[in-house]
Amino acid sequence: MNEQTLAIHAGYDKDSMGTMAVPIYQTTAYEFKDTEHAANLFELKELGNIYTRLMNPTTDIFEKRFAALEHGVAAIGTASGMAAIFYAIANVAEAGDNIIVAKQVYGGTTTLTGHTIKRFGIETRYFDITNPSEIEALIDEKTKIILFESITNPSVDVADFDAIVAIAKKHNVMTCVDNTVATPIFCKPIDFGCDIVVHSASKYTTGQGLALGGVVVERENLVELIKDNPRYSHFNEPDESYHGLVYSDLPLPLFCLRMRLSLLRDLGATPSPFNSWLYIQGLETLPLRMKQHALSALKIAEFLESHPKVKKVNYPGLKSNVNYTLAQKYFPKGQSGLLSFEVSSKEEAQAIADSTEIFKVVVNIGDSKSIITHPASTTHQQLSEKELIEAGVPGGLIRLSVGLEDTQNLIDDLSKALN
Ligand code: PLP
């Protein structure tokens, strides 16, 4: 089925009441038939609902729908995009291990990988997304995952999946792609050989800035990479916290299963059923919205490129952009609504952001309402000067998340602010 149909129907037909709209199962717990049924569920002899920290029927529909859209086999909904990224890392890495992460990622991912998980004993090694050949020298036997964004926020670079996946496959290392900006409408990293996809559902998924959320998607047959692979021994050895369960022996999506049984159980960053319902509402219109976001962003990028005050425009849909060829290869249907541009100084960038009327000064992306952000003083404020340059965030950089308003109105707004 085409993604426009999947976005509306995947994961849900009707419930026992025949409801056309997906119901919100607003509950913490579930009544078991009897104690034997309860015991069977806990022992995984039967699959079913136990407690909403682990699973919920509304969240389950969201997970199935998202997995279908990403061409994955299973998904786990989380309370935020950061929770999804942390869980993807924590599902494979422990103290003494290392992970490899692109330098050009969302600021929260940089602080998570560069600071927070360091305190858990996990080392992060960084590579330049524009030069994936750097990855190979960083891999050793303790490397657990290679994490990068398909379209980077806010430098708007494009990942070369083929180059990264080739190195990962050579060394039997898992790849994890943050596909928040491209969305599954423009790119499905699993189709290019990636293993795990993560998202902040707070962005284009809900689409109107309504709720925080995240999701982790697993590709089919991940067991091929994990089974007997010494990098992933904890999937191949008994899990003492779950009666000696060996995940790689189960005929189930093992990455998601371990994340659910272990990380959701113990850390609990689960979405509320109501938020899962909001993500589902968002998914229904995602294909249509993404087309408009991308059309408008391209026109705005072309306008900015011709403006004398603008030094550089980062939008991979522009023919002049260094990422144009890669974008045509991996995102031929559109390059999302995120773009950034550079003016001569931090002060000028802040003055422009303060002068727009339709574009609001907000730290979010993927909203129907257009957003203007000065990353160096906000989303990336905690980064050092060196990290800012490496992340492609100079002081004069302005990020735009182009919304769904009339394109000409948006161009007029920017034109006024730039003069
Ligand atoms: N990934 C990307 C690319 C993001 O832009 C963001 C937030 O801006 C996140 C992850 C984190 O998502 P959340 O805010 O839902 O935790």
Side-chain angles (χ1 to χ4, degrees):
M1 257 190 272
N2 179 284
E3 66 221 358
Q4 201 159 324
T5 309
L6 292 173
I8 293 173
H9 294 291
Y12 183 69
D13 182 10
K14 55 182 171 308
D15 73 354
S16 56
M17 306 298 282
T19 53
M20 178 79 173
V22 170
I24 307 173
Y25 291 93
Q26 191 68 49
T27 183
T28 305
Y30 308 85
E31 186 181 344
F32 308 116
K33 287 177 218 150
D34 50 32
T35 51
E36 188 189 350
H37 176 221
N40 284 346
L41 291 175
F42 274 82
E43 279 180 59
L44 300 181
K45 284 187 186 157
E46 277 180 64
L47 295 180
N49 295 318
I50 295 175
Y51 190 65
T52 283
R53 179 158 20 86
L54 297 170
M55 71 280 282
N56 172 275
T58 309
T59 303
D60 181 59
I61 294 160
F62 166 65
E63 292 170 343
K64 291 200 167 94
R65 194 164 294 185
F66 217 105
L69 283 171
E70 279 288 9
H71 289 175
V73 68
I76 299 272
T78 57
S80 70
M82 288 318 300
I85 296 168
F86 175 66
Y87 281 5
I89 296 170
N91 213 19
V92 288
E94 59 191 28
D97 290 338
N98 66 72
I99 62 168
I100 297 178
V101 180
K103 284 175 188 160
Q104 299 88 341
V105 283
Y106 165 61
T109 308
T110 305
T111 47
L112 169 72
T113 55
H115 300 278
T116 302
I117 64 167
K118 197 170 163 187
R119 298 184 59 232
F120 298 167
I122 301 168
E123 180 201 342
T124 301
R125 302 172 176 181
Y126 292 99
F127 73 101
D128 186 339
I129 195 77
T130 66
N131 187 9
S133 62
E134 287 180 9
I135 294 173
E136 191 141 27
L138 302 175
I139 297 177
D140 64 20
E141 74 282 2
K142 289 284 185 186
T143 303
K144 295 299 162 91
I145 205 159
I146 301 169
L147 170 67
F148 57 98
E149 294 176 1
S150 45
I151 296 180
T152 66
N153 173 13
S155 60
V156 205
D157 285 306
V158 169
D160 187 346
F161 292 107
D162 286 350
I164 298 171
V165 168
I167 298 169
K169 283 202 187 309
K170 184 171 158 196
H171 295 273
N172 287 320
V173 183
M174 208 177 283
T175 45
C176 177
V177 184
D178 182 335
N179 199 30
T180 300
V181 175
T183 80
I185 305 311
F186 290 143
C187 172
K188 300 183 201 305
I190 288 175
D191 288 355
F192 299 113
C194 298
D195 300 307
I196 302 295
V197 179
V198 291
H199 276 266
S200 165
S202 331
K203 318 296 174 190
Y204 289 112
T205 299
T206 63
Q208 293 171 279
L210 295 177
L212 277 199
V215 63
V216 181
V217 184
E218 169 177 358
R219 78 157 161 95
E220 207 170 356
N221 288 330
L222 190 61
V223 67
E224 291 165 354
L225 171 68
I226 287 179
K227 186 85 179 161
D228 299 330
N229 184 341
R231 285 190 198 284
Y232 306 110
S233 53
H234 56 296
F235 281 90
N236 291 300
E237 288 163 3
D239 179 351
E240 295 311 333
S241 80
Y242 218 101
H243 304 307
L245 186 74
V246 179
Y247 293 96
S248 63
D249 284 348
L250 295 176
L252 294 166
L254 70 177
F255 193 87
C256 282
L257 187 74
R258 184 174 189 277
M259 190 176 283
R260 193 182 296 287
L261 295 185
S262 160
L263 299 180
L264 282 184
R265 177 194 63 187
D266 300 343
L267 304 174
T270 312
S272 76
F274 180 69
N275 281 2
S276 294
W277 181 80
L278 287 174
Y279 314 149
I280 292 166
Q281 306 317 301
L283 284 183
E284 290 199 1
T285 56
L286 185 67
L288 292 174
R289 285 188 285 109
M290 289 315 294
K291 277 181 206 150
Q292 179 58 27
H293 280 296
L295 273 176
S296 224
L298 180 59
K299 286 196 182 136
I300 289 171
E302 285 165 353
F303 157 75
L304 289 169
E305 198 172 35
S306 66
H307 199 283
K309 275 200 184 162
V310 175
K311 284 167 53 187
K312 189 180 170 209
V313 182
N314 304 312
Y315 189 67
L318 285 175
K319 288 209 170 78
S320 58
N321 188 270
V322 54
N323 290 305
Y324 180 76
T325 313
L326 280 181
Q328 290 305 308
K329 180 173 175 188
Y330 298 118
F331 320 107
K333 289 194 286 172
Q335 296 80 34
S336 194
L338 185 75
L339 63 96
S340 58
F341 65 99
E342 248 181 274
V343 292
S344 49
S345 67
K346 179 180 169 189
E347 292 69 29
E348 191 177 10
Q350 286 176 315
I352 291 166
D354 286 337
S355 312
T356 51
E357 281 177 33
I358 305 175
F359 281 91
K360 306 292 181 203
V361 181
V362 169
V363 286
N364 195 15
I365 59 170
D367 197 315
S368 54
K369 302 165 274 298
S370 288
I371 291 169
I372 189 162
T373 310
H374 181 242
S377 62
T378 57
T379 51
H380 289 65
Q381 197 200 65
Q382 279 90 36
L383 271 59
S384 66
E385 281 298 317
K386 183 170 168 275
E387 284 173 330
L388 279 175
I389 297 305
E390 286 179 345
V393 187
L397 190 81
I398 296 171
R399 184 183 74 186
L400 299 181
S401 172
V402 176
L404 299 176
E405 302 93 340
D406 177 74
T407 311
Q408 192 55 48
N409 288 164
L410 294 175
I411 291 175
D412 292 345
D413 194 29
L414 288 169
S415 175
K416 223 169 80 202
L418 276 157
N419 287 326

